[in-house]
């Protein structure tokens, strides 16, 4: 979250904390690691990566 001198600014100031955000953050990090792994090990392009990730959903 963006902070300026200890206070939230922008959209972060309007969103109340909820535990689901931590779960979503963990899912995002997992998806990101999978995407990076596929790009490195299987030499997928961004468009191929997008197709694969849509198939997994």
């Amino acid at each position: 979250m963006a902070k300026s001198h200890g206070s939230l600014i922008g959209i972060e100031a309007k969103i109340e904390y909820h535990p689901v955000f931590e779960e979503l953050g963990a899912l995002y990090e997992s998806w990101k690691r999978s995407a990076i792994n596929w790009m490195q090990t299987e030499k997928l392009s961004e468009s191929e990566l997008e197709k694969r990730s849509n198939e997994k959903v």
Side-chain angles (χ1 to χ4, degrees):
M1 289 189 186
K3 289 190 177 188
S4 175
H5 302 289
S7 63
L8 296 174
I9 58 172
I11 189 81
E12 293 89 356
K14 297 178 182 178
I15 298 175
E16 292 187 35
Y17 171 79
H18 192 280
V20 75
F21 294 136
E22 289 189 27
E23 181 67 26
L24 289 173
L27 285 172
Y28 169 78
E29 290 298 321
S30 174
W31 294 332
K32 186 171 79 171
R33 284 191 303 273
S34 293
I36 291 170
N37 185 36
W38 292 337
M39 290 180 83
Q40 291 176 339
T41 60
E42 300 180 32
K43 308 291 188 223
L44 295 180
S45 68
E46 287 185 29
S47 61
E48 292 169 326
L49 178 64
E50 186 176 353
K51 287 178 189 174
R52 178 179 282 193
S53 63
N54 287 336
E55 290 171 358
K56 300 277 184 189
V57 174

